[in-house]
Amino acid sequence: MPLAFQRRVVRERPGIAVEDMPGGHLLALSRPAEPAGLLCRGAPQRGTAPAG
């Protein structure tokens, strides 16, 4: 899907920003460390209460 379309859908639905990453369509297979690191940075640590 085109990046502009993905940005619009994500902005309209969950209301979060899109992170561009090099690596093509199968990023999780071609460069697994980058998306895993991004997900881990945004995830709460185990045993901690959510902010807010």
Side-chain angles (χ1 to χ4, degrees):
M1 290 182 243
L3 184 55
F5 170 76
Q6 293 178 50
R7 287 181 189 276
R8 181 176 55 83
V9 170
V10 171
R11 184 177 55 246
E12 291 172 359
R13 295 183 186 171
I16 58 175
V18 173
E19 292 266 349
D20 294 352
M21 298 180 134
H25 183 68
L26 297 173
L27 177 63
L29 293 175
S30 64
R31 301 176 71 163
E34 287 87 347
L38 179 66
L39 292 170
C40 289
R41 282 197 319 262
Q45 297 298 312
R46 211 177 260 234
T48 61

